[in-house]
Amino acid sequence: MKRSIVYMLATLLMLTGCIQAGDMGMFPLDGDGMERLPYLQIDQDQARRMMEADDGHVIVDVRRQDEYDTGHIPGAICIPNESIGTEPPKELPDRNQVILIYCRSGNRSKQAAEKLGKMGYYNVYEFGGIIDWKGEIVKSGAKATLVFDSFDGGGPEFEIEMDPDIVTCTREKEYADSNHEELDGAAFRVIYTFTGVAQGETTVTVKARSPIAGNYDYLYSVRVDEELNVSIEEREIIDWDEAADAVEPVPTLAIAANGKVFYAHLEDNASAQSLIEKLSNGAVEVEMHDYGHFEKVGPLPWDLPRADETITTEPGDVILYQGNQITVYYDQNTWDFTRLARIGDVTKEELLSAFGEGDVKVILWIEWSE
């Protein structure tokens, strides 16, 4: 009796079009009425309504790639039934995602749906074949390819970034010698084949990383037209090793008090630049004393240009006062002076612990990044 009730409820839901994502607890019964299928079979009207939902669903065409290219449901991805084994397809990383499956006539889609259901995909819906589809059908446009050379044992490894809503790609590895298997020094090509998904323009970045051949980013402008034809134009090649060599060192103000060293990011102004030049001749020692219970202040051995403005200080601000005094703030104060630098991620308590309550000798110098 209970089994009959379950069957009637499942049938009623399908007839009234009330199937919702997450209803996979109600599987239809097999013909013998004993076992439940690991997926839910729906009609194409129900599938069309589910496609209109903004629920992150994916439409899967399980025909061969050449069949898919002749015409497919808009937004569908091609995962041939023959390629689905016992391991989850990489195109379907989320086992809770709503998956709508079709093929040509409904035979391969049932096979694929059953395999996915048995792998633990919880929201698999099979809706027959494209030969019965009354909705829009799109054809794949002209594809485009990118080819990169590499070799086993240190050759470039490739990673690709793109907008999958505009273009998708497949990857093939082709050895120069068809008899080669993986072998140090064996040359091969990596072939990316791009298929248009929707009209638009995007950037495709291919990252090549190798301890022998160097590290590069290849940037391409990719255009997909209204017929889904793909065109690719090289835009830029970034040599990261060369870029790293060209990076200029950056100065940082080091401040030592009672054995504790703080590092301050210097401001981009004439006062800070002059301080860098002065300290490039060597470190200086400054006698600093407490003032107003919110700062440590001491005289510099030289004058610096001023660019005073009204500033409300925060703990860690390094301030030029009257052109010849340097101040480290551990609390708030509002006045007209010039900010030289700022110690990042530091608290009032940390500064007081290092500088103490009375007078303190502070050493200033410049450190350069490599």
Side-chain angles (χ1 to χ4, degrees):
M1 176 64 71
K2 291 182 178 179
R3 194 179 305 277
S4 298
I5 292 172
V6 172
Y7 181 84
M8 291 172 63
L9 285 173
T11 303
L12 180 61
L13 281 172
M14 291 199 302
L15 289 174
T16 57
C18 293
I19 298 173
Q20 302 292 330
D23 287 340
M24 294 302 288
M26 281 193 182
F27 296 125
L29 301 180
D30 278 348
D32 59 7
M34 297 299 293
E35 295 182 2
R36 295 184 298 177
L37 296 173
Y39 64 91
L40 196 60
Q41 189 171 5
I42 60 176
D43 64 37
Q44 298 200 348
D45 286 337
Q46 292 165 336
R48 190 178 295 106
R49 286 194 293 272
M50 293 178 71
M51 291 175 191
E52 294 172 355
D54 184 14
D55 57 3
H57 66 265
V58 60
I59 307 168
V60 178
D61 186 325
V62 295
R63 296 174 298 160
R64 299 187 312 272
Q65 183 70 50
D66 61 309
E67 296 176 280
Y68 172 89
D69 291 342
T70 62
H72 55 269
I73 294 174
I77 63 173
C78 181
I79 307 178
N81 177 50
E82 297 78 8
S83 71
I84 302 175
T86 57
E87 296 295 324
K90 65 180 184 301
E91 298 91 344
L92 302 173
D94 183 359
R95 299 197 193 196
N96 292 311
Q97 185 177 30
V98 173
I99 301 172
L100 303 168
I101 298 182
Y102 73 94
C103 62
R104 188 189 74 86
S105 62
N107 183 36
R108 284 173 287 178
S109 56
K110 290 181 176 64
Q111 296 174 16
E114 183 167 0
K115 285 186 283 188
L116 292 174
K118 288 181 177 179
M119 283 183 217
Y121 288 89
Y122 300 108
N123 289 297
V124 181
Y125 298 84
E126 189 275 331
F127 64 96
I130 197 170
I131 59 174
D132 300 316
W133 183 250
K134 300 298 191 297
E136 183 183 359
I137 293 177
V138 296
K139 295 182 179 180
S140 295
K143 300 181 181 181
T145 59
L146 292 174
V147 181
F148 299 91
D149 294 319
S150 188
F151 56 89
D152 290 329
E157 295 183 358
F158 300 98
E159 179 183 342
I160 193 164
E161 294 180 352
M162 60 189 173
D163 184 347
D165 292 331
I166 295 178
V167 68
T168 61
C169 78
T170 59
R171 181 185 186 276
E172 295 180 80
K173 181 177 180 180
E174 183 181 276
Y175 278 98
D177 185 338
S178 59
N179 295 321
H180 269 152
E181 295 181 356
E182 188 165 338
L183 176 72
D184 282 355
F188 62 85
R189 301 191 307 165
V190 174
I191 305 168
Y192 290 106
T193 302
F194 296 86
T195 301
V197 175
Q199 183 178 4
E201 295 186 17
T202 186
T203 296
V204 168
T205 302
V206 180
K207 298 181 178 182
R209 301 292 183 264
S210 168
I212 298 173
N215 302 291
Y216 298 88
D217 279 3
Y218 299 90
L219 276 64
Y220 300 88
S221 294
V222 177
R223 182 177 180 272
V224 180
D225 66 18
E226 60 184 6
E227 296 181 351
L228 299 185
N229 298 308
V230 181
S231 59
I232 297 180
E233 181 180 350
E234 184 179 292
R235 197 171 77 197
E236 184 181 4
I237 300 176
I238 301 174
D239 183 339
W240 286 108
D241 298 323
E242 183 179 284
D245 292 339
V247 173
E248 295 183 1
V250 176
T252 300
L253 176 62
I255 305 170
N258 291 320
K260 174 69 175 179
V261 180
F262 297 97
Y263 294 95
H265 175 75
L266 287 150
E267 293 292 309
D268 184 14
N269 58 36
S271 306
Q273 184 59 45
S274 179
L275 178 65
I276 294 168
E277 294 171 0
K278 298 290 188 183
L279 291 178
S280 294
N281 296 321
V284 299
E285 184 177 273
V286 179
E287 288 274 357
M288 303 185 78
H289 63 273
D290 194 85
Y291 178 81
H293 302 294
F294 49 70
E295 67 181 45
K296 293 287 184 180
V297 60
L300 291 168
W302 7 254
D303 288 337
L304 300 178
R306 297 165 63 174
D308 290 349
E309 59 181 340
T310 302
I311 296 173
T312 298
T313 62
E314 297 180 0
D317 276 341
V318 182
I319 298 294
L320 175 67
Y321 177 60
Q322 293 186 342
N324 59 4
Q325 297 186 64
I326 191 166
T327 305
V328 177
Y329 276 85
Y330 52 82
D331 212 330
Q332 286 191 342
N333 181 36
T334 301
W335 201 257
D336 289 347
F337 30 46
T338 303
R339 182 181 283 112
L340 291 172
R342 174 161 177 75
I343 303 168
D345 297 326
V346 68
T347 65
K348 173 181 179 178
E349 290 71 25
E350 290 172 326
L351 291 169
L352 285 174
S353 174
F355 286 87
E357 295 184 359
D359 294 347
V360 61
K361 290 184 179 180
V362 175
I363 300 175
L364 308 174
W365 72 94
I366 295 294
E367 287 195 8
W368 295 84
S369 65
E370 297 182 358

